[in-house]
Amino acid sequence: MNSVTLKVEGMHCEGCAKTIEALLGAEAGVQRAAVSFQAREAQVQFDSKASDGAHLAAAIERAGYKVVVAGQ
């Protein structure tokens, strides 16, 4: 089991966080997704055989949010 923390921009409320949490939970291999509106981040535990951080970030971005990579 792997985990990744993704910084997310574009959330405007707790509803946004719940939306991202639900879409991550629907991705293949995701065991747990917790999204914090206040921290502006998503913490995801997933099976590395079924997914990876880049795939999860792309899922968030398809929903209209932006994933920020450290240093950008």
Side-chain angles (χ1 to χ4, degrees):
M1 191 68 50
N2 286 6
S3 65
V4 65
T5 299
L6 303 168
K7 290 289 189 183
V8 182
E9 288 184 351
M11 289 191 284
H12 302 288
C13 63
E14 286 293 333
C16 293
K18 293 298 178 193
T19 297
I20 295 169
E21 207 168 271
L23 73 87
L24 287 171
E27 291 293 313
V30 172
Q31 299 296 313
R32 182 180 165 278
V35 181
S36 170
F37 169 64
Q38 292 175 327
R40 304 288 199 270
E41 66 183 24
Q43 296 179 343
V44 190
Q45 292 179 341
F46 61 95
D47 180 352
S48 61
K49 294 177 184 172
S51 192
D52 60 27
H55 178 80
L56 299 171
I60 293 170
E61 292 191 341
R62 281 193 304 275
Y65 302 95
K66 181 176 180 178
V67 176
V68 182
V69 177
Q72 286 189 340

